[in-house]
Structures are given as structure tokens and as C-alpha cells.
Amino acid sequence: MELLEYQAKTLFAQVGIPVLPSQPIQDPRDLKRLHIPYPVVLKSQVRVGGRGQAGGIRYVENTIDAIAAARTILNLPILGEYPEVILAEAHYDAHKEFFLAIVQDYKRQCPVLLGSVQGGIQVKAVLAQIQKVEIEEFSPFYARRLARKMGLEGDLIQTVSGVIEKMYQLFSQNDLDLIEINPLGVNAEGEVMALDGKITVNDYGLGRHPEIIDLVGYDSPVEPNNTLTWVDPKATVGLVCNDLPLVWATWDLLSDQKLNLGAYGVVEDVLDEELLVPSVEQLTQILPQFSHHKVGIVFINLLSNPTAAVTLGNAIALYVQRQVEQSAASQGETAREQTSKTTDRNRRQNKKANPSPPLFPHFVVRIVGHSAVEAKQDETLPIYWTEDLDQAIKEIANLTKAQSSNKR
């Protein structure tokens, strides 16, 4: 379960991570009773990314402007998600911005610290300087090690490592899969402030934390979040992995080849046999979302074992086969309608002027442990199977180039 920013910052404040004075707003009229002095920043509270570029963050200097901006934000969908809450937050003059995160690596069975001296919305810049530290048994040493690997010096080492220690306290005590601060702002005096926050709670551990359930307002355990996280709505490459560190690593490889990631989804860890059925269910719920947003290529990169790999391979092949059949049926129906309404000449002209766009993407599938991958090959389906990661990236590059040429 993914928390909204204002909920994550509530937990930040409980462990002493510095956050700005803020106030959740559900009705623009509540801004008349705002407890924070202007200027303030109004932020759309949605779980998808890209709210800044979409106009979901506004800087305002008075109540009249704040009410007008709040009404706009509440009626502005960010990648299809409408906010129910706006966060009004004090303005902060940051001279530097860092990225900090802790993710649970289920493959290595340990948490991983992530940090970059470049924070903010420029994802490529963040990834270009990302540093990683794997944790065996946490101690302040690991936090200082990450700060030094990031290239920090002087008092910033102690300040930032102190924030990392508090992040790990939250991470370990609340069964988190992810805790992220992006950006961690640093002002001219060297003081730090968590300007944005993201927390993902492991759904299977949620029952042990009723205080989090109360925080988000749920009366019962929350189902896993089977929605995509959007990075760049204009990019045409989608990604599905079975843990967040694998998403980061794959994303890095795609970026090296100048391939822009549009969105990614994370399914349950398929190395665990008990989670295989939920993994397949999540996979079949995530994949149609790529088609809906017209992603041209979906890279499914999963770590697995032979038994789970065959099941997952079958599920992917079955899903794509059904999409092909539905597309053929739809195109056949369209052709019959055109035959009854237009002449042969008009049909030829219409086809030339308005070529039909693809109804679903091409799939590149790499399932580690899928030793029988050749048995899944079916040239009639838009699926490229491989166990070689480099070959998968190469195929994505080739498909991207071909799709770009077809659009010209």
C-alpha cells in the first residue's frame, strides 16, 4: 500500500525527520482558515508521478489566489487520478536537492540504501549519480557510507546520515517496502528538509500496524496496489518487475541506451511459491493498463524459478493471445462496417490517410529461470522471449527505432 505525501510526512515527523509546516485541505474554502503564513505551495495528493509537470503543484502568495489554485488542482486529473486532498505547505528556499531512499531487495533478502546528490523531478539526472549500499545488519556506519559515496563533505555527512538513520527506523519498524525522500532540500545554512515523501507499506505486514491503517482511513486491510507508476507519459516503453531494486537496475540499463521509461509496475516476488497466484493476478491486472495509455513496448523482466517461470510464461502468452484475437475480431467488424458504407475507392483512400494504430504493445519477456522459453515461441504473437538481459535491451532498442520510423 502506497501512502500519500501528507501521510508519509506524518510518519516522518514522528521519528524526527524535518518536515515543513503543512495543512491538508479537502475544500478550497478551508484555505480561509489556513494556519500557515503565505507564501505557500499547494500540492495535489495523488499516488502517480508527474504532478509537477501536469500543473498539480502551485505557488501562491495570498488567500484569493490559493482558493482559485485549489479549485483547479482538485479538478485536475494526474494520469487519470483525481486528488481528494491538497497539501498546503510552507515555501522552502532550497539551494541543493538530494535523493534518498531505502528499498527492500527480496532477491538479496536485505534492504538497500539509495542516494544521489541530484534530487527532484529530473529522473535521468537522479539515476546518473545514484549510489547504493546494501545492508547486512544496520548501523550508523551504513548511513555515513552512503553519504560519503554520494560525495558529501563536512557537516552534510552527519546531517544527511542522521536523516538516513531515521528513515531506516521507520523502514524497519513498519514493514515498509520503500521509503523515499525526493527531494531532500538543503538551504544556505546547511539545514535539511524533506520536501516530498513516499512510503510503500508491505501489504502482508499491514495488519501488524493498525496505526497506519488509521492514518490512511481504512477500516480493513488494503488490497495490493496493482496500478502503474508513471514516469514520463510521452515515453513508449513500459516495465514490469517483481521488486523495486530490479526496476531501478533495469531502468538504469534502459537509460544507458537512451530508452525513455514511460511507466513501471511491480508484482509480488515470484521467488516465493506462496505468492505465485497473486503475482499472476497482478500481472494480468497491470498489463492492460499499458494498452490503455498506448505504450508501444512492454518489457517484462522477472526473477523466478523453473516452476514459477513456466506458470508466468503461460499467463503472459495467454494474455497476449487473447489480445490478438480480440484485435482481429475488432478489425474484422470494422472492415465489415466499412464495406457496407463506403466504396472500394473510398476504403483505399481512408486506409491510406488514416492507418489503424496498434491496439496493444509489443512484449519483450525475460524470465530468469524460464529454461523452456523456446517452447513459448509463437511467431504469430508480438512477444520476444529471452533469458539474456543484454539481448532484451537490444530488442527493445530495435523495436523503438522501428516504431519511430513507422510514425514518420
Side-chain angles (χ1 to χ4, degrees), residues 92-155:
Y92 188 78
D93 187 13
H95 285 218
K96 297 179 181 178
E97 292 184 343
F98 300 151
F99 169 91
L100 296 175
I102 305 175
V103 296
Q104 183 66 46
D105 188 333
Y106 287 101
K107 178 177 180 291
R108 295 180 176 85
Q109 296 186 346
C110 70
V112 178
L113 305 182
L114 300 172
S116 173
V117 290
Q118 176 66 55
I121 62 175
Q122 300 300 323
V123 177
K124 288 185 178 180
V126 174
L127 290 173
Q129 303 190 58
I130 201 77
Q131 301 295 326
K132 304 177 183 179
V133 173
E134 294 182 9
I135 301 172
E136 295 178 4
E137 184 176 347
F138 185 80
S139 73
F141 163 78
Y142 289 102
R144 290 193 296 271
R145 182 179 178 186
L146 178 64
R148 291 183 182 278
K149 289 186 71 173
M150 290 169 60
L152 303 184
E153 298 177 346
D155 293 339

Side-chain angles (χ1 to χ4, degrees), residues 43-263:
K43 299 181 178 181
S44 177
Q45 296 298 283
V46 291
R47 292 176 174 83
V48 297
R51 61 180 180 172
Q53 299 94 321
I57 299 178
R58 305 288 181 94
Y59 174 88
V60 292
E61 296 184 337
N62 55 63
T63 301
I64 294 176
D65 290 344
I67 292 174
R71 287 172 176 164
T72 299
I73 293 174
L74 285 170
N75 289 283
L76 178 68
I78 310 296
L79 295 174
E81 182 180 348
Y82 284 88
E84 296 181 359
V85 178
I86 296 174
L87 183 65
E89 188 172 70
H91 178 67
Y92 188 78
D93 187 13
H95 285 218
K96 297 179 181 178
E97 292 184 343
F98 300 151
F99 169 91
L100 296 175
I102 305 175
V103 296
Q104 183 66 46
D105 188 333
Y106 287 101
K107 178 177 180 291
R108 295 180 176 85
Q109 296 186 346
C110 70
V112 178
L113 305 182
L114 300 172
S116 173
V117 290
Q118 176 66 55
I121 62 175
Q122 300 300 323
V123 177
K124 288 185 178 180
V126 174
L127 290 173
Q129 303 190 58
I130 201 77
Q131 301 295 326
K132 304 177 183 179
V133 173
E134 294 182 9
I135 301 172
E136 295 178 4
E137 184 176 347
F138 185 80
S139 73
F141 163 78
Y142 289 102
R144 290 193 296 271
R145 182 179 178 186
L146 178 64
R148 291 183 182 278
K149 289 186 71 173
M150 290 169 60
L152 303 184
E153 298 177 346
D155 293 339
L156 272 180
I157 294 177
Q158 183 62 34
T159 303
V160 173
S161 64
V163 173
I164 297 170
E165 290 178 40
K166 293 170 182 175
M167 290 173 67
Y168 188 81
Q169 179 183 343
L170 268 181
F171 184 87
S172 60
Q173 291 179 353
N174 294 281
D175 290 302
L176 303 186
D177 281 337
L178 166 73
I179 179 170
E180 176 185 301
I181 298 177
N182 183 33
L184 179 73
V186 184
N187 65 14
E189 290 74 37
E191 300 171 336
V192 297
M193 188 70 62
L195 300 183
D196 197 358
K198 185 174 182 180
I199 284 178
T200 302
V201 185
N202 187 292
D203 295 292
Y204 294 96
L206 189 59
R208 293 188 289 272
H209 304 284
E211 69 283 0
I212 294 181
I213 295 177
D214 291 339
L215 175 65
V216 299
Y218 286 100
D219 296 325
S220 59
V222 182
E223 294 297 324
N225 183 9
N226 299 331
T227 58
L228 297 175
T229 297
W230 282 88
V231 179
D232 181 359
K234 297 180 180 179
T236 58
V237 178
L239 175 64
V240 179
C241 296
N242 56 310
D243 67 20
L244 280 170
L246 187 57
V247 169
W248 281 94
T250 308
W251 189 349
D252 202 7
L253 291 174
L254 292 170
S255 299
D256 288 344
Q257 298 299 317
K258 303 187 184 306
L259 298 168
N260 295 326
L261 183 65

Side-chain angles (χ1 to χ4, degrees), residues 283-302:
L283 194 61
T284 54
Q285 291 174 10
I286 285 175
L287 293 181
Q289 297 175 48
F290 289 112
S291 299
H292 178 70
H293 290 279
K294 298 182 181 179
V295 168
I297 303 163
V298 176
F299 182 23
I300 303 176
N301 185 21
L302 304 175

